[in-house]
Amino acid sequence: MPSTFIGFRGVGFWAPDAHTETWMYLVCAEIDRMAEPPGWLLAAREWWFVLATVRINGVMNPSYDAHLGEDEARIGLVQEIHERVLRRFESFGEKMPRLSVPEGVWAFDGSVPTELFAETFASFAGVLRGEGKDLEPDVVA
């Protein structure tokens, strides 16, 4: 399974691309629930939706550095969103539910164990808090 290194502020983790697609889809759905997301977040959401739907193996970087930079308010908001997504994922129980995704992209039939995604999804929530492995000099994130 193709994987991409997901990094932010010098730390990160390797994520299977299928997990990144699913996480980004859930993040976009959470942003869509917001009453009035700021413009910069809508721009980030556009890229994250591409990652969720286009199937571009090996280059699934959410580009946190580009979208969030050093802006603590942006980082904090996306951390909150990630934490809400993680809680939503944890509420699924033992199986991923059917998700409403664009036709022909990917789908779950309700039989995929959530435990397959748990570690990766926790890493997505943690990387914005500075949790993860230090970037190696030859890794670009």
Side-chain angles (χ1 to χ4, degrees):
M1 176 183 302
S3 295
T4 301
F5 192 83
I6 308 297
F8 182 64
R9 290 184 163 178
V11 297
F13 63 99
W14 284 98
D17 289 346
H19 294 201
T20 301
E21 290 173 350
T22 307
W23 178 261
M24 288 293 122
Y25 179 80
L26 295 171
V27 167
C28 289
E30 192 64 35
I31 293 169
D32 292 345
R33 287 184 185 83
M34 296 174 68
E36 294 184 34
W40 66 265
L41 184 57
L42 292 174
R45 185 220 178 271
E46 284 183 36
W47 173 240
W48 296 338
F49 193 73
V50 167
L51 295 180
T53 59
V54 176
R55 303 204 134 193
I56 46 177
N57 291 335
V59 290
M60 299 291 293
N61 189 338
S63 303
Y64 291 131
D65 288 309
H67 292 294
L68 308 179
E70 297 296 321
D71 187 319
E72 294 300 327
R74 288 183 179 198
I75 295 165
L77 179 56
V78 174
Q79 282 177 322
E80 289 176 25
I81 291 167
H82 279 34
E83 293 297 332
R84 286 195 306 261
V85 170
L86 188 58
R87 285 192 303 273
R88 180 173 174 224
F89 167 73
E90 290 167 347
S91 77
F92 292 161
E94 293 183 14
K95 304 284 184 185
M96 287 288 282
R98 290 192 64 78
L99 298 174
S100 176
V101 297
E103 187 175 326
V105 176
W106 51 262
F108 295 103
D109 63 4
S111 68
V112 178
T114 51
E115 69 184 40
L116 296 175
F117 296 85
E119 183 177 339
T120 304
F121 285 8
S123 294
F124 269 105
V127 75
L128 295 180
R129 294 188 302 261
E131 299 169 6
K133 299 182 187 296
D134 289 335
L135 288 176
E136 298 176 17
D138 61 340
V139 174
V140 177

